[in-house]
Amino acid sequence: MIRGISSGFYTATRALQTSQWATHIYLQNIANANDPNYTRRTLENRMDPFGRLPQVVRYRDLFVDDQYRRAQASAGRASTRADILARVEDIFGDPIEGGLGKAIEKFFDAFKAVSEDPADEVLRIEAIEAGRRFVQHIHEAMTQLTQIRSQVNERITGAVTQINAYLENLRNLNSRIAAMVGSTDMAADLMDQRDKVLDELARLTGARPVYLDDGTVRLMIGSMPAVDGTALNLLEVVQGVNGPQVKWQGIDVPAYSGDGLLPALLQMRDGDLQDVITTIDNLAKEVARHVNELHRQGYDLDGNPGGDFFLIQDQVPGGIYVHPDITPRKIAAASSTPVLESDGSNADKIYQLSYGLEPITGTNPPVPDTSTSPMSIYRNLVGLIGSRGKAAIEDNEIAEAHIQVSQEQRSSKWGVSADEELALMTAEQKAYAAVARVLNVMDEMLETLINAVS
Amino acid sequence: MRVTNWMLLNTAVRELDDLRAQYAKAQKKVYGRSLERPSDDPQRVVEAIDLTAMKVKLERAQRAATDAKEWLSIVETSLTAMAEDLQAAQETMIQFGSPANQEPSARENLALQIEGLRDAILREMNAQHRGRYLFAGWATNQLPFVDDGAGGVTYQGSSHKIEREIAPGYKVTINVPGDQLPDGIIATLTEAAAEIRAGNVSRVTGELLGKVKDAADVLLARRSEVGLAYQQVEQFEGYSRDGLITVEERLGEISGGDIADAVMQMTQAQQAYQVALSAFAMALPKTLMDYMFR
């Protein structure tokens, strides 16, 4: 095929425009070099044989994206667990120097002191004060745990609002991307925005996208298509036993399920947090019940039968108080009446509860079952929370490391290297200069031709 | 692998974060605060809780041992005084057996001596420590031995034993309830004084002397029990003291550890952080632009 000289001009002009466009894209890449959500772009199909315009193409890799979003979901779950468990740990205070454990020991120790010198009213005052400190520690722990639960509930509601906003945003982006086929540069910007939304939804819900032929995505949360092209299913919060529960709006089946931050919040609230609340509540009330039981069997300094040492409110978590009627003289330290001055045997029985609230079955005389001692219950709880906290921190570190690796892979695949873009820009500059030179040659050729004709 | 500007920057930030965290951790260790939360090391935290609980019990046991030793030594002193008085009474009764002491004035003298010793023994039987009667069982605020109007005494205390827990779960008796004392000795000595005045040598040196000897044996047995208890207390006090030192040492190891090692770790962490800062400061600003557009 013999081409005319004018087609050469056309080709050169197109090459110049393409170089300018490419330079513009490289500049755009450099301008976004520090944005981790930006996808590096390039021009493809620069010299289409059918004269179609070049296309702006993003260097995206779905496999790396999927890996990153899985890591995001794990990190969302692990960081939530680590964060909540860290706050639960705070209720124990300094595990060595203070906290609830020491208050328990001091309470029983105060009763031991009374048992050894039951006539000393100062020791009796100290026993009441030790009881108050024990109660205060229980109340503080319960207040903090209740606050944590309230904050978790607020975060659940907040997360649902945020997820719904992202889902709506995703639906809108889907419809705009579908409408923008052909305007590849604009669509690339929108796709970057959509990928960012998908990253966030993966962290919050463990959502997985399915890419459809029309350029839109179907987003699956658990077994539910939360967004399907331009169709949308939103979440809602309904009141449950422990606080807000999450379900799909207008749909009862399937139940909400997923991964990431939101399920972790729900699991922590109904699992670990509830376990700690129940254990501390049981510990407080079991100690109070056993102390009361023994205290009622004894006699106070005036020879009257002992009443309750603790006031117990069964319906209130951690609801124990030193009984308002208790005075130093009313501590029932003696076992029999008439009360003898050095009879502290009942106070000693109360002290012996520190070795075990229950006796080993079948022992006579009863041998305390050390696994039921208040300190044993406390230490097991601290150990459990510590172990879970440590595991959550380690999980979080692993997830964060996984995210780091994925982020680096993402950056390596489609992040911007200013050096590379500059080199490409320079190459483009040279190409532009070369085309300009070609134009010059063609101009000279044409001039020669015209002169020859004239 | 392509390396982008963001990767360089992110690596720098992450590495510096890690080094700062290591430095902070080493610093905490220097301040003896390596265990601030249960998750720092759950096993060691639980061990620390056990040790703290043990420490409270050992401290209580030490106070109980001190208290027990005080009581037991006072009780032993009283029992010793009673034994010595009984010994003196025995000697006086034997003296009465001598023909040289049959004169009325000598007999009166001996009878007065016996009565004096009897009163001294009774005083010891009603001895007090810090306002509490030693030999009254739990009724430490009641005079345990009162005159029965017939030359003897009646015990008004209780038969309870006062105990102290000198080691976790191990109790020792620190008193001698009055009903375990040979309180019949008061009546015996009253009778002996009367018989001495009456000049009844055979009764005094026979039956009554025998009763006094029996009473001395009982006292000796009580003294032995008290002495044994005292030894036990001393032994367990030693165990508690050693136990407390061990517990505190272990607690120190758990919460702080070797200070020299901790300082070394902190210095290393600090140096690593400074080196990383310098390295990143040199490496980060370099791009192709630095060489192309000068």
Side-chain angles (χ1 to χ4, degrees), chain A residues 172-292:
Chain A
N172 294 340
L173 284 166
N174 260 351
S175 62
R176 287 175 67 188
I177 289 166
M180 246 178 216
V181 179
S183 177
T184 53
D185 206 3
M186 286 282 280
D189 282 342
L190 292 173
M191 283 176 186
D192 274 359
Q193 280 184 39
R194 187 174 67 183
D195 282 324
K196 191 180 170 193
V197 170
L198 291 173
D199 290 349
E200 283 299 318
L201 283 167
R203 186 179 64 81
L204 292 166
T205 64
R208 302 257 184 283
V210 178
Y211 292 86
L212 305 176
D213 290 339
D214 62 354
T216 63
V217 294
R218 179 186 299 134
L219 187 76
M220 299 298 291
I221 297 180
S223 55
M224 184 66 158
V227 175
D228 193 353
T230 53
L232 178 66
N233 285 306
L234 292 175
L235 293 170
E236 68 176 342
V237 164
V238 291
Q239 206 53 38
V241 181
N242 286 334
Q245 294 293 340
V246 180
K247 68 180 279 290
W248 292 105
Q249 278 182 21
I251 303 167
D252 288 328
V253 177
Y256 169 74
S257 68
D259 198 356
L261 181 141
L262 181 58
L265 286 171
L266 292 163
Q267 284 160 11
M268 284 301 296
R269 182 196 62 190
D270 300 338
D272 297 62
L273 197 53
Q274 191 55 41
D275 287 351
V276 176
I277 290 174
T278 308
T279 307
I280 293 183
D281 185 42
N282 284 346
L283 169 67
K285 285 176 182 160
E286 281 304 300
V287 167
R289 273 192 201 100
H290 281 84
V291 168
N292 279 353

Side-chain angles (χ1 to χ4, degrees), chain A residues 117-119 340-343, chain B residues 71 127-144 157-158 162 175:
Chain A
D117 195 352
L340 303 175
E341 189 193 42
S342 291
D343 181 5
Chain B
W71 264 82
Q128 281 182 298
H129 173 58
R130 296 196 192 188
R132 289 177 200 179
Y133 292 103
L134 291 176
F135 303 105
W138 283 352
T140 45
N141 55 345
Q142 286 177 21
L143 186 70
S158 78
I162 298 175
N175 73 331

Side-chain angles (χ1 to χ4, degrees), chain A residues 26-175:
Chain A
Y26 298 141
L27 271 173
Q28 197 180 8
N29 285 347
I30 291 172
N32 290 287
N34 289 329
D35 181 356
N37 296 306
Y38 179 78
T39 312
R40 182 177 169 240
R41 293 160 200 178
T42 190
L43 268 189
E44 270 188 5
N45 198 25
R46 295 168 69 121
M47 294 305 286
D48 187 86
F50 304 105
R52 282 177 303 201
L53 282 173
Q55 283 180 322
V56 177
V57 176
R58 300 190 313 149
Y59 286 96
R60 201 81 188 185
D61 184 326
L62 293 184
F63 175 73
V64 175
D65 257 343
D66 184 56
Q67 222 177 10
Y68 175 75
R69 286 173 191 147
R70 280 175 197 276
Q72 278 281 58
S74 302
R77 185 183 60 237
S79 67
T80 305
R81 278 182 63 78
D83 177 41
I84 294 172
L85 284 167
R87 287 203 247 164
V88 172
E89 280 185 85
D90 288 342
I91 68 167
F92 298 111
D94 185 325
I96 299 173
E97 293 297 329
L100 180 57
K102 201 149 194 173
I104 294 170
E105 275 299 324
K106 290 284 179 194
F107 169 68
F108 286 108
D109 190 56
F111 266 88
K112 184 67 182 171
V114 170
S115 79
E116 290 178 350
D117 195 352
D120 190 336
E121 287 206 29
V122 175
L123 295 178
R124 287 168 172 262
I125 291 169
E126 281 179 10
I128 293 174
E129 286 309 311
R132 289 206 174 109
R133 276 197 296 277
F134 167 58
V135 165
Q136 195 185 344
H137 274 277
I138 294 286
H139 289 176
E140 275 172 15
M142 277 299 167
T143 306
Q144 285 184 47
L145 287 168
T146 315
Q147 273 175 0
I148 295 169
R149 187 164 61 186
S150 304
Q151 285 163 1
V152 170
N153 284 339
E154 279 170 23
R155 283 182 69 186
I156 289 169
T157 312
V160 168
T161 310
Q162 204 180 1
I163 290 164
N164 282 344
Y166 279 131
L167 291 176
E168 282 179 7
N169 195 1
L170 181 62
R171 192 261 313 265
N172 294 340
L173 284 166
N174 260 351
S175 62

Side-chain angles (χ1 to χ4, degrees), chain A residues 97 352 369:
Chain A
E97 293 297 329
Q352 296 302 326
D369 178 358

Side-chain angles (χ1 to χ4, degrees), chain A residues 34 36 40 86 89-90 94-96 105 109 112-113 116-117 340-343 345 348 351-352 354-355 375 378-379 382-383 386-387 389-390 393 404 407-408 411-413 415-420 422 426, chain B residues 1-7 10-11 14 33 35-39 42 45-46 48-50 52-53 56-57 60 63-64 132 138-141 158 160 162 164-165 168-169 171 251 255 287-289 292-293:
Chain A
N34 289 329
R40 182 177 169 240
E89 280 185 85
D90 288 342
D94 185 325
I96 299 173
E105 275 299 324
D109 190 56
K112 184 67 182 171
E116 290 178 350
D117 195 352
L340 303 175
E341 189 193 42
S342 291
D343 181 5
S345 52
D348 188 56
Y351 168 74
Q352 296 302 326
S354 69
Y355 290 105
M375 276 310 282
Y378 172 75
R379 76 184 284 280
V382 173
S387 302
K390 193 178 179 193
I393 289 168
Q404 284 293 340
Q407 271 179 333
E408 286 189 0
S411 187
S412 179
K413 288 267 183 189
V416 177
S417 159
D419 295 351
E420 195 177 349
L422 273 171
T426 311
Chain B
M1 184 183 181
R2 286 178 71 241
V3 178
T4 62
N5 298 58
W6 181 87
M7 283 162 78
N10 187 49
T11 306
R14 197 178 71 239
R33 311 288 308 166
L35 288 186
E36 280 193 323
R37 333 170 59 85
S39 60
V45 166
V46 165
I49 290 172
D50 289 344
T52 310
V56 171
K57 284 199 158 53
R60 160 63 49 200
R63 285 198 296 275
R132 289 177 200 179
W138 283 352
T140 45
N141 55 345
S158 78
H160 296 99
I162 298 175
R164 290 288 179 269
E165 195 163 322
K171 289 178 181 173
L251 265 177
S255 57
T287 69
L288 192 56
M289 226 171 319
M292 283 183 71
F293 302 109

